[in-house]
Amino acid sequence: MRRMHTLPTKILLATDGSREAGLASRAAADLCLRTSAELHVVHVWTNLLSEVYPTLAFEEHSDAFERGARVLLEQQADKVRSGEVFVAGTHLKEGRIAEEIVGLAENLDVGLVVVGGRSVGAIGRLVTGSISEGVARLSTAPILLVRGGEGAWPPRRFIICDDFSEEAARAGTLAAGVGRLFGTRTLLVRVHPPRLVVRAARASYSEGLPRELFKGGDEDLKNRADELEHILGTRPEIRTPTGSAAGVIQKVAEEDGEPSLIAVGAQGLSGMPRLTMGSFSTEVLRSIGAPVLIVPPLVHERR
């Protein structure tokens, strides 16, 4: 039987005071109110002058940066408290943002890290690549990347991306637990990759891989739906489209105009076990502008 991933009892909210971080704060506060989870807030600051001129001392400027960072952290924590959410701890860190967030999450042993992300685009991709992807790559705890504007939270539909991996199963279980809190509609999606056909030194893609390669997959997917139904209280809709995984999920996320949350295991979604290690979750972060829940492999699986 697959390991069940319970709702988090401790949540870490990473904030930088931006509009996107405000949306993440709303999501983290909402989850804490619904689950009674303990909330911690972290802000990581960087001495920009030291980054540019590492051999010079800027103690005065460094103190000013730190004071400003502490004020920002307390202001963000106060905004969360104004929603009647108890903040168990505020944490000011200096250094590389992703590393500091992940390190604190491990020290606190949190069950979920919540961060804001900018809308997808040229600038958005740069920010996502430098921070959100770093957190997702390094974290041993699930990550909720919240983005998409004010209407994105709470989502009205959860899209659970399932492959044959353990981390995808845990992502689905966690998403189902959160989805039940909000009474959301849930889709269980397993994408079959197109079949590569080679003809006279050129490659093309046919409609799909032979069904015999997925022997047992339909039964496995039905079992996953049974597990999720037990958590949700309602049966998820099952879809098994063929195509490029990230492209298919993006199309599903954009249909009906409903705010959606994408849940995925960090090993990736390929339609076959572990063919594209981590590539799908990275593609989702870079190309889909909806909130994303990413569950990494267990620590012993990452070694």
Side-chain angles (χ1 to χ4, degrees):
M1 175 176 288
R2 289 180 167 115
R3 171 190 285 242
M4 301 299 283
H5 205 298
T6 58
L7 290 171
T9 58
K10 191 181 294 185
I11 293 174
L12 176 63
L13 166 66
T15 182
D16 61 3
S18 66
R19 182 175 59 183
E20 295 78 14
L23 183 60
S25 297
R26 198 174 86 199
D30 201 0
L31 288 169
C32 286
L33 287 173
R34 294 171 187 263
T35 64
S36 299
E38 178 180 304
L39 179 64
H40 290 257
V41 183
V42 61
H43 172 59
V44 182
W45 69 280
T46 301
N47 188 332
L48 298 179
L49 291 176
S50 295
E51 290 288 323
V52 178
Y53 304 103
T55 60
L56 300 180
F58 293 96
E59 288 83 359
E60 182 178 344
H61 293 89
S62 180
D63 290 343
F65 280 131
E66 183 174 0
R67 287 195 300 271
R70 189 172 299 281
V71 169
L72 185 150
L73 173 62
E74 291 304 323
Q75 288 176 340
Q76 296 303 305
D78 285 343
K79 287 182 180 179
V80 175
R81 295 186 185 104
S82 67
E84 300 183 354
V85 176
F86 173 70
V87 177
T90 57
H91 308 268
L92 184 65
K93 298 289 183 178
E94 178 190 6
R96 296 182 181 275
I97 298 175
E99 286 87 341
E100 292 295 333
I101 292 171
V102 170
L104 178 62
E106 291 180 351
N107 290 337
L108 294 174
D109 193 24
V110 302
L112 182 67
V113 178
V114 182
V115 297
R118 286 173 171 80
S119 299
V120 173
I123 296 178
R125 284 194 179 95
L126 289 175
V127 175
T128 296
S130 61
I131 299 175
S132 301
E133 284 183 31
V135 173
R137 176 174 54 84
L138 297 172
S139 180
T140 58
I143 307 102
L144 175 60
L145 173 64
V146 190
R147 59 186 175 187
E150 291 300 312
W153 190 271
R156 290 196 288 273
R157 184 177 61 163
F158 278 34
I159 301 171
I160 297 175
C161 305
D162 187 78
D163 57 14
F164 297 88
S165 68
E166 177 67 23
E167 52 278 357
R170 295 200 313 275
T173 301
L174 177 56
V178 175
R180 180 164 186 162
L181 297 174
F182 295 94
T184 56
R185 184 162 68 94
T186 303
L187 305 182
L188 176 60
V189 181
R190 179 174 288 170
V191 181
H192 292 175
R195 177 172 53 188
L196 179 64
V197 178
V198 179
R199 297 190 183 95
R202 68 175 183 173
S204 63
Y205 287 91
S206 67
E207 185 64 24
L209 288 173
R211 292 296 301 178
E212 57 267 21
L213 290 182
F214 297 95
K215 186 177 181 180
D218 291 342
E219 185 64 26
D220 179 76
L221 194 60
K222 178 181 178 298
N223 291 337
R224 281 298 294 142
D226 291 342
E227 294 173 5
L228 296 177
E229 182 178 10
H230 180 72
I231 301 169
L232 288 163
T234 58
R235 192 165 185 79
E237 176 186 343
I238 296 176
R239 297 191 189 180
T240 56
T242 297
S244 167
V248 168
I249 297 302
Q250 182 173 6
K251 184 176 180 180
V252 173
E254 293 173 350
E255 68 184 17
D256 301 331
E258 287 189 321
S260 299
L261 179 145
I262 315 298
V264 62
Q267 289 284 4
L269 177 71
S270 62
M272 291 291 285
R274 308 176 194 273
L275 287 181
T276 53
M277 300 289 279
S279 63
F280 175 69
S281 55
T282 299
E283 285 185 52
V284 169
L285 285 176
R286 291 179 175 179
S287 62
I288 300 178
V292 182
L293 175 66
I294 300 176
V295 173
L298 295 174
V299 174
H300 70 269
E301 293 178 342
R302 294 164 66 95
R303 294 173 181 169

